Amino acid sequence: MKQVDQVSQGAQGTASAAQVAAGQDITVRVPATSANLGPGFDSLGMAVGLFDSVRVRTRDSGGISVRVSGEGADTLPTDGTHLVARTIVDTIRNAGYGVGGFELICENVIPHGRGLGSSASAIVSGVLAGNALLPAAAQLDEAGLLHACSVLEGHPDNVAPALSGGLAVSWEDEGRFRSVTAQVHPDVIPVVAVPATELSTESARGLLPQNVPHRDAAANSGRAALLMHAMVTDPSLLLAGTEDFLHQSYRAPAMQPSAALIETLRAAGFAAVVSGAGPTVMVLAAGTDQAAAAEALIVRHLAAQALENWRVLRLGVDRDGARVVVHQR
């Protein structure tokens, strides 16, 4: 997460021990993320160039009001039950403070229920916003923010790259979530094919078996290690490095068009994977020529299968992570 930027500093308000100061105005911008990347199940995630932003203005009273534009504008709640609003309140309360009320403005770009980290983005937005509204002495440090976001999301594979940018490797150690970040090779270009239909993470996770063969676990460990080398040092190895043995084949029946597209792409030599729990398909292209070729093959496949309303996007790797901008304190 980038350090908070002080854009303009108004009159400093002093928060009481009970309530954060009214009159604060902050914006949080959080990238989309793709978890797993093939064999990195529940441990690898990468930030990509789609961004949700939220703006929060605190007041003395009046409750919580929410405005949403973009993704989910017609379906998401516009009161205190909104996920970002709830997370802001919970973060402030967990620090021992309360809030009189606030206005929340959400500009959503990340598709919902498609495997691009929309819920992680909402949680990171809420935790960072709530944390920024607290007095400096009460604010969480980076390790605390990662743990708080991971607890709320249930796992760190999306929230870690959303916070840090780049490629994040995450794990749990004695009840604490931890993460380190690697910088992705500049030739790696994510290309995504986003279907119109959603798939809940819970539904996708419910298809996974309780146990897998030892040979599959061993093979997956080797491919995950190779993937790290390919992502950071040698993108020519991305096809081999993205082969998965733990989750994609088990989830395929719930997203058959995505599974068929992945099969077509991999047969043609492209490093295609399920993004997160799906159903979005991501190609990790090695250079602009391969990215363009992947895009063209995706478009041909979608047309041949009469699959409509899919979005094909070439995205950059976001290397900065979440940003908090303070307009007025």
Side-chain angles (χ1 to χ4, degrees):
M1 182 196 69
K2 289 299 180 183
Q3 186 173 358
V4 173
D5 299 313
Q6 299 289 340
V7 172
S8 63
Q9 190 70 35
Q12 286 284 343
T14 302
S16 69
Q19 188 164 297
V20 297
Q24 299 189 74
D25 184 354
I26 65 169
T27 296
V28 182
R29 182 174 181 260
V30 181
T33 50
S34 179
N36 302 327
L37 305 177
F41 182 66
D42 277 4
S43 59
L44 294 184
M46 181 176 65
V48 296
L50 290 174
F51 303 90
D52 283 355
S53 65
V54 302
R55 188 163 187 170
V56 186
R57 300 186 180 103
T58 58
R59 49 202 180 203
D60 288 319
S61 60
I64 298 170
S65 63
V66 181
R67 284 189 285 156
V68 180
S69 62
E71 295 283 336
D74 298 329
T75 58
L76 294 176
T78 56
D79 57 16
T81 63
H82 188 283
L83 178 57
V84 176
R86 296 199 323 263
T87 305
I88 291 171
V89 172
D90 288 345
T91 301
I92 292 170
R93 286 178 176 169
N94 288 340
Y97 287 78
V99 58
F102 57 84
E103 177 188 20
L104 174 64
I105 303 171
C106 302
E107 297 180 5
N108 295 341
V109 175
I110 302 170
H112 289 184
R114 308 300 206 286
L116 287 168
S118 60
S119 66
S121 173
I123 286 169
V124 169
S125 296
V127 170
L128 293 186
N131 194 60
L133 294 172
L134 292 166
Q139 292 180 1
L140 296 169
D141 61 12
E142 290 193 8
L145 290 169
L146 172 64
H147 184 72
C149 292
S150 299
V151 168
L152 289 171
E153 175 72 353
H155 41 83
D157 52 354
N158 284 107
V159 299
L163 285 165
S164 66
L167 175 66
V169 186
S170 306
W171 70 98
E172 186 177 357
D173 185 9
E174 297 183 349
R176 296 291 296 183
F177 292 101
R178 303 182 185 280
S179 179
V180 293
T181 304
Q183 290 305 314
V184 178
H185 193 286
D187 287 350
V188 176
I189 301 173
V191 177
V192 294
V194 186
T197 55
E198 298 184 17
L199 177 66
S200 75
T201 301
E202 293 77 11
S203 298
R205 192 168 289 271
L207 297 172
L208 301 179
Q210 292 296 314
N211 300 288
V212 297
H214 186 273
R215 65 180 181 275
D216 288 349
N220 208 75
S221 296
R223 296 308 172 112
L226 179 59
L227 176 59
M228 288 299 300
H229 177 74
M231 292 288 288
V232 174
T233 304
D234 187 358
S236 70
L237 295 170
L238 282 168
L239 178 61
T242 50
E243 188 171 4
D244 162 70
F245 297 85
L246 291 185
H247 68 104
Q248 292 187 160
S249 62
Y250 298 108
R251 289 170 164 172
M255 54 183 102
Q256 292 182 357
S258 298
L261 175 57
I262 289 172
E263 184 177 358
T264 295
L265 286 163
R266 293 190 68 85
F270 297 104
V273 297
V274 175
S275 181
T280 290
V281 172
M282 174 174 283
V283 173
L284 296 171
T288 55
D289 290 346
Q290 191 177 82
E295 288 176 340
L297 179 54
I298 291 169
V299 170
R300 291 198 302 272
H301 176 92
L302 296 177
Q305 299 299 316
L307 296 173
E308 300 180 348
N309 300 320
W310 285 55
R311 285 177 281 176
V312 182
L313 306 171
R314 188 187 304 192
L315 304 174
V317 176
D318 176 66
R319 304 178 191 279
D320 297 323
R323 296 182 178 186
V324 180
V325 177
V326 177
H327 304 284
Q328 180 172 325
R329 179 71 70 191

Short mmCIF file of all heavy atoms in Angstrom, two decimals, residues 213-256:
data_model
loop_
_atom_site.label_atom_id
_atom_site.label_comp_id
_atom_site.label_asym_id
_atom_site.label_seq_id
_atom_site.Cartn_x
_atom_site.Cartn_y
_atom_site.Cartn_z
N PRO A 213 -4.55 -36.55 -4.64
CA PRO A 213 -3.44 -37.51 -4.67
C PRO A 213 -2.10 -36.82 -4.38
O PRO A 213 -1.88 -35.66 -4.78
CB PRO A 213 -3.48 -38.06 -6.09
CG PRO A 213 -4.88 -37.84 -6.56
CD PRO A 213 -5.32 -36.57 -5.90
N HIS A 214 -1.22 -37.55 -3.71
CA HIS A 214 0.09 -37.00 -3.37
C HIS A 214 0.85 -36.57 -4.62
O HIS A 214 1.54 -35.54 -4.62
CB HIS A 214 0.90 -38.05 -2.59
CG HIS A 214 2.20 -37.54 -2.07
ND1 HIS A 214 3.35 -37.56 -2.82
CD2 HIS A 214 2.53 -36.99 -0.88
CE1 HIS A 214 4.35 -37.04 -2.12
NE2 HIS A 214 3.88 -36.70 -0.93
N ARG A 215 0.73 -37.34 -5.69
CA ARG A 215 1.45 -36.98 -6.92
C ARG A 215 0.97 -35.64 -7.47
O ARG A 215 1.76 -34.87 -8.05
CB ARG A 215 1.31 -38.09 -7.96
CG ARG A 215 -0.11 -38.31 -8.46
CD ARG A 215 -0.18 -39.43 -9.51
NE ARG A 215 -1.55 -39.61 -9.99
CZ ARG A 215 -2.46 -40.35 -9.39
NH1 ARG A 215 -2.14 -40.99 -8.26
NH2 ARG A 215 -3.67 -40.47 -9.89
N ASP A 216 -0.33 -35.35 -7.32
CA ASP A 216 -0.84 -34.06 -7.79
C ASP A 216 -0.31 -32.92 -6.94
O ASP A 216 0.05 -31.85 -7.47
CB ASP A 216 -2.38 -34.05 -7.76
CG ASP A 216 -2.98 -34.93 -8.85
OD1 ASP A 216 -2.22 -35.38 -9.74
OD2 ASP A 216 -4.20 -35.16 -8.80
N ALA A 217 -0.26 -33.13 -5.63
CA ALA A 217 0.28 -32.10 -4.75
C ALA A 217 1.74 -31.83 -5.06
O ALA A 217 2.19 -30.68 -5.11
CB ALA A 217 0.11 -32.52 -3.29
N ALA A 218 2.51 -32.91 -5.31
CA ALA A 218 3.93 -32.75 -5.62
C ALA A 218 4.11 -32.02 -6.96
O ALA A 218 4.95 -31.11 -7.09
CB ALA A 218 4.61 -34.11 -5.66
N ALA A 219 3.33 -32.42 -7.95
CA ALA A 219 3.42 -31.76 -9.26
C ALA A 219 3.04 -30.29 -9.16
O ALA A 219 3.68 -29.42 -9.78
CB ALA A 219 2.51 -32.48 -10.27
N ASN A 220 2.02 -30.00 -8.37
CA ASN A 220 1.58 -28.61 -8.23
C ASN A 220 2.66 -27.75 -7.56
O ASN A 220 2.86 -26.60 -7.93
CB ASN A 220 0.28 -28.55 -7.42
CG ASN A 220 -0.56 -27.35 -7.78
OD1 ASN A 220 -1.19 -27.33 -8.84
ND2 ASN A 220 -0.55 -26.33 -6.94
N SER A 221 3.34 -28.32 -6.56
CA SER A 221 4.41 -27.57 -5.90
C SER A 221 5.50 -27.19 -6.90
O SER A 221 6.00 -26.05 -6.89
CB SER A 221 5.03 -28.41 -4.77
OG SER A 221 4.09 -28.66 -3.77
N GLY A 222 5.85 -28.12 -7.77
CA GLY A 222 6.87 -27.82 -8.76
C GLY A 222 6.44 -26.75 -9.74
O GLY A 222 7.23 -25.86 -10.10
N ARG A 223 5.18 -26.81 -10.17
CA ARG A 223 4.70 -25.80 -11.13
C ARG A 223 4.58 -24.43 -10.47
O ARG A 223 4.84 -23.40 -11.11
CB ARG A 223 3.37 -26.23 -11.72
CG ARG A 223 3.44 -27.51 -12.55
CD ARG A 223 4.53 -27.47 -13.62
NE ARG A 223 4.70 -28.75 -14.26
CZ ARG A 223 4.40 -29.01 -15.53
NH1 ARG A 223 3.90 -28.07 -16.29
NH2 ARG A 223 4.61 -30.21 -16.01
N ALA A 224 4.19 -24.38 -9.20
CA ALA A 224 4.10 -23.09 -8.51
C ALA A 224 5.48 -22.44 -8.39
O ALA A 224 5.63 -21.22 -8.57
CB ALA A 224 3.47 -23.28 -7.13
N ALA A 225 6.49 -23.25 -8.08
CA ALA A 225 7.85 -22.71 -8.01
C ALA A 225 8.31 -22.22 -9.38
O ALA A 225 8.91 -21.14 -9.51
CB ALA A 225 8.80 -23.79 -7.48
N LEU A 226 8.00 -23.00 -10.42
CA LEU A 226 8.36 -22.59 -11.78
C LEU A 226 7.63 -21.31 -12.17
O LEU A 226 8.19 -20.43 -12.84
CB LEU A 226 8.03 -23.71 -12.76
CG LEU A 226 8.31 -23.45 -14.24
CD1 LEU A 226 9.78 -23.14 -14.47
CD2 LEU A 226 7.85 -24.63 -15.09
N LEU A 227 6.36 -21.19 -11.76
CA LEU A 227 5.60 -20.00 -12.09
C LEU A 227 6.25 -18.74 -11.52
O LEU A 227 6.31 -17.71 -12.20
CB LEU A 227 4.16 -20.13 -11.56
CG LEU A 227 3.26 -18.91 -11.74
CD1 LEU A 227 3.12 -18.53 -13.21
CD2 LEU A 227 1.89 -19.16 -11.12
N MET A 228 6.72 -18.81 -10.28
CA MET A 228 7.40 -17.65 -9.70
C MET A 228 8.61 -17.25 -10.55
O MET A 228 8.83 -16.07 -10.82
CB MET A 228 7.83 -17.95 -8.27
CG MET A 228 6.69 -18.01 -7.27
SD MET A 228 5.78 -16.43 -7.14
CE MET A 228 7.09 -15.32 -6.61
N HIS A 229 9.39 -18.23 -10.98
CA HIS A 229 10.55 -17.94 -11.83
C HIS A 229 10.10 -17.33 -13.16
O HIS A 229 10.70 -16.35 -13.64
CB HIS A 229 11.35 -19.22 -12.07
CG HIS A 229 12.52 -19.04 -12.99
ND1 HIS A 229 13.68 -18.41 -12.61
CD2 HIS A 229 12.69 -19.41 -14.29
CE1 HIS A 229 14.53 -18.39 -13.62
NE2 HIS A 229 13.95 -18.99 -14.66
N ALA A 230 9.05 -17.88 -13.74
CA ALA A 230 8.57 -17.37 -15.03
C ALA A 230 8.04 -15.95 -14.90
O ALA A 230 8.29 -15.11 -15.77
CB ALA A 230 7.48 -18.30 -15.57
N MET A 231 7.29 -15.67 -13.83
CA MET A 231 6.70 -14.34 -13.66
C MET A 231 7.74 -13.26 -13.42
O MET A 231 7.57 -12.12 -13.83
CB MET A 231 5.72 -14.37 -12.49
CG MET A 231 4.47 -15.20 -12.72
SD MET A 231 3.32 -14.44 -13.89
CE MET A 231 2.68 -13.08 -12.90
N VAL A 232 8.82 -13.62 -12.76
CA VAL A 232 9.81 -12.61 -12.35
C VAL A 232 10.99 -12.55 -13.31
O VAL A 232 11.52 -11.48 -13.59
CB VAL A 232 10.29 -12.91 -10.91
CG1 VAL A 232 11.42 -11.97 -10.50
CG2 VAL A 232 9.12 -12.80 -9.93
N THR A 233 11.41 -13.71 -13.86
CA THR A 233 12.68 -13.77 -14.58
C THR A 233 12.55 -14.19 -16.03
O THR A 233 13.20 -13.61 -16.91
CB THR A 233 13.63 -14.76 -13.86
OG1 THR A 233 13.78 -14.34 -12.50
CG2 THR A 233 14.99 -14.79 -14.54
N ASP A 234 11.73 -15.21 -16.33
CA ASP A 234 11.73 -15.79 -17.68
C ASP A 234 10.30 -16.10 -18.13
O ASP A 234 9.81 -17.22 -17.98
CB ASP A 234 12.56 -17.07 -17.69
CG ASP A 234 12.74 -17.65 -19.08
OD1 ASP A 234 12.18 -17.08 -20.04
OD2 ASP A 234 13.43 -18.69 -19.21
N PRO A 235 9.61 -15.12 -18.73
CA PRO A 235 8.22 -15.34 -19.16
C PRO A 235 8.04 -16.42 -20.21
O PRO A 235 6.91 -16.88 -20.44
CB PRO A 235 7.80 -13.97 -19.71
CG PRO A 235 8.71 -13.00 -19.02
CD PRO A 235 10.02 -13.72 -18.88
N SER A 236 9.12 -16.87 -20.86
CA SER A 236 8.97 -17.95 -21.84
C SER A 236 8.51 -19.25 -21.19
O SER A 236 8.03 -20.15 -21.89
CB SER A 236 10.30 -18.19 -22.58
OG SER A 236 11.26 -18.77 -21.71
N LEU A 237 8.59 -19.35 -19.88
CA LEU A 237 8.19 -20.57 -19.15
C LEU A 237 6.79 -20.47 -18.57
O LEU A 237 6.39 -21.34 -17.78
CB LEU A 237 9.20 -20.86 -18.04
CG LEU A 237 10.63 -21.19 -18.50
CD1 LEU A 237 11.58 -21.23 -17.31
CD2 LEU A 237 10.65 -22.51 -19.25
N LEU A 238 6.03 -19.46 -18.95
CA LEU A 238 4.72 -19.25 -18.35
C LEU A 238 3.74 -20.38 -18.65
O LEU A 238 2.93 -20.74 -17.79
CB LEU A 238 4.13 -17.92 -18.81
CG LEU A 238 4.68 -16.67 -18.12
CD1 LEU A 238 4.25 -15.41 -18.85
CD2 LEU A 238 4.23 -16.63 -16.66
N LEU A 239 3.79 -20.95 -19.84
CA LEU A 239 2.84 -22.02 -20.15
C LEU A 239 3.03 -23.21 -19.21
O LEU A 239 2.07 -23.70 -18.61
CB LEU A 239 2.99 -22.45 -21.60
CG LEU A 239 2.07 -23.60 -22.05
CD1 LEU A 239 0.60 -23.20 -21.93
CD2 LEU A 239 2.40 -24.02 -23.49
N ALA A 240 4.25 -23.66 -19.06
CA ALA A 240 4.52 -24.77 -18.14
C ALA A 240 4.26 -24.36 -16.69
O ALA A 240 3.72 -25.14 -15.89
CB ALA A 240 5.96 -25.26 -18.30
N GLY A 241 4.61 -23.14 -16.35
CA GLY A 241 4.48 -22.68 -14.97
C GLY A 241 3.05 -22.50 -14.51
O GLY A 241 2.78 -22.46 -13.31
N THR A 242 2.11 -22.36 -15.43
CA THR A 242 0.71 -22.14 -15.04
C THR A 242 -0.11 -23.42 -15.02
O THR A 242 -1.32 -23.37 -14.78
CB THR A 242 0.04 -21.14 -16.00
OG1 THR A 242 0.28 -21.54 -17.36
CG2 THR A 242 0.55 -19.73 -15.78
N GLU A 243 0.51 -24.59 -15.23
CA GLU A 243 -0.27 -25.83 -15.18
C GLU A 243 -0.67 -26.13 -13.74
O GLU A 243 0.16 -26.12 -12.83
CB GLU A 243 0.53 -26.99 -15.76
CG GLU A 243 -0.32 -28.25 -15.90
CD GLU A 243 0.37 -29.35 -16.66
OE1 GLU A 243 1.56 -29.17 -17.03
OE2 GLU A 243 -0.26 -30.39 -16.90
N ASP A 244 -1.94 -26.38 -13.55
CA ASP A 244 -2.51 -26.58 -12.21
C ASP A 244 -3.02 -28.00 -12.04
O ASP A 244 -3.55 -28.59 -12.96
CB ASP A 244 -3.66 -25.58 -11.99
CG ASP A 244 -4.56 -25.98 -10.85
OD1 ASP A 244 -4.11 -25.90 -9.69
OD2 ASP A 244 -5.71 -26.40 -11.11
N PHE A 245 -2.87 -28.53 -10.81
CA PHE A 245 -3.34 -29.87 -10.49
C PHE A 245 -4.32 -29.89 -9.32
O PHE A 245 -4.77 -30.98 -8.94
CB PHE A 245 -2.14 -30.77 -10.15
CG PHE A 245 -1.18 -30.97 -11.28
CD1 PHE A 245 -0.17 -30.04 -11.50
CD2 PHE A 245 -1.29 -32.05 -12.12
CE1 PHE A 245 0.72 -30.21 -12.54
CE2 PHE A 245 -0.39 -32.23 -13.17
CZ PHE A 245 0.61 -31.30 -13.39
N LEU A 246 -4.63 -28.72 -8.74
CA LEU A 246 -5.38 -28.71 -7.49
C LEU A 246 -6.83 -28.25 -7.61
O LEU A 246 -7.67 -28.69 -6.83
CB LEU A 246 -4.68 -27.82 -6.45
CG LEU A 246 -3.35 -28.31 -5.90
CD1 LEU A 246 -2.88 -27.37 -4.79
CD2 LEU A 246 -3.45 -29.74 -5.38
N HIS A 247 -7.15 -27.34 -8.53
CA HIS A 247 -8.49 -26.76 -8.44
C HIS A 247 -9.21 -26.55 -9.77
O HIS A 247 -10.42 -26.70 -9.85
CB HIS A 247 -8.43 -25.43 -7.67
CG HIS A 247 -7.72 -24.33 -8.40
ND1 HIS A 247 -8.38 -23.29 -9.02
CD2 HIS A 247 -6.40 -24.10 -8.58
CE1 HIS A 247 -7.50 -22.47 -9.55
NE2 HIS A 247 -6.29 -22.93 -9.30
N GLN A 248 -8.51 -26.24 -10.84
CA GLN A 248 -9.22 -25.83 -12.05
C GLN A 248 -10.06 -26.95 -12.66
O GLN A 248 -11.20 -26.71 -13.09
CB GLN A 248 -8.22 -25.27 -13.08
CG GLN A 248 -7.60 -23.97 -12.65
CD GLN A 248 -6.75 -23.32 -13.73
OE1 GLN A 248 -6.48 -22.15 -13.68
NE2 GLN A 248 -6.33 -24.09 -14.72
N SER A 249 -9.54 -28.16 -12.71
CA SER A 249 -10.30 -29.25 -13.32
C SER A 249 -11.54 -29.58 -12.50
O SER A 249 -12.58 -29.96 -13.07
CB SER A 249 -9.42 -30.49 -13.45
OG SER A 249 -8.99 -30.95 -12.18
N TYR A 250 -11.48 -29.42 -11.18
CA TYR A 250 -12.63 -29.71 -10.33
C TYR A 250 -13.72 -28.65 -10.49
O TYR A 250 -14.91 -28.94 -10.33
CB TYR A 250 -12.20 -29.79 -8.87
CG TYR A 250 -11.19 -30.89 -8.59
CD1 TYR A 250 -9.86 -30.58 -8.32
CD2 TYR A 250 -11.57 -32.23 -8.62
CE1 TYR A 250 -8.93 -31.58 -8.07
CE2 TYR A 250 -10.64 -33.24 -8.38
CZ TYR A 250 -9.33 -32.91 -8.10
OH TYR A 250 -8.41 -33.91 -7.87
N ARG A 251 -13.30 -27.43 -10.80
CA ARG A 251 -14.27 -26.34 -10.94
C ARG A 251 -14.82 -26.22 -12.35
O ARG A 251 -15.78 -25.49 -12.58
CB ARG A 251 -13.61 -25.02 -10.54
CG ARG A 251 -13.35 -24.90 -9.04
CD ARG A 251 -12.47 -23.72 -8.72
NE ARG A 251 -12.52 -23.39 -7.30
CZ ARG A 251 -11.75 -22.50 -6.71
NH1 ARG A 251 -10.83 -21.84 -7.42
NH2 ARG A 251 -11.87 -22.24 -5.42
N ALA A 252 -14.23 -26.91 -13.30
CA ALA A 252 -14.60 -26.76 -14.70
C ALA A 252 -16.08 -26.97 -14.98
O ALA A 252 -16.68 -26.25 -15.79
CB ALA A 252 -13.76 -27.69 -15.57
N PRO A 253 -16.76 -27.97 -14.34
CA PRO A 253 -18.18 -28.16 -14.65
C PRO A 253 -19.05 -26.95 -14.35
O PRO A 253 -20.11 -26.78 -14.96
CB PRO A 253 -18.57 -29.35 -13.75
CG PRO A 253 -17.30 -30.10 -13.55
CD PRO A 253 -16.24 -29.04 -13.46
N ALA A 254 -18.63 -26.08 -13.43
CA ALA A 254 -19.41 -24.90 -13.09
C ALA A 254 -19.18 -23.75 -14.06
O ALA A 254 -19.90 -22.74 -14.00
CB ALA A 254 -19.09 -24.45 -11.66
N MET A 255 -18.18 -23.87 -14.91
CA MET A 255 -17.85 -22.80 -15.86
C MET A 255 -17.35 -23.42 -17.16
O MET A 255 -16.23 -23.17 -17.59
CB MET A 255 -16.82 -21.84 -15.25
CG MET A 255 -15.57 -22.51 -14.74
SD MET A 255 -14.41 -21.36 -13.94
CE MET A 255 -14.74 -21.73 -12.23
N GLN A 256 -18.20 -24.21 -17.79
CA GLN A 256 -17.78 -24.96 -18.97
C GLN A 256 -17.30 -24.08 -20.12
O GLN A 256 -16.30 -24.42 -20.77
CB GLN A 256 -18.91 -25.90 -19.40
CG GLN A 256 -19.16 -27.02 -18.41
CD GLN A 256 -20.25 -27.98 -18.85
OE1 GLN A 256 -20.88 -27.79 -19.88
NE2 GLN A 256 -20.48 -29.02 -18.06
#
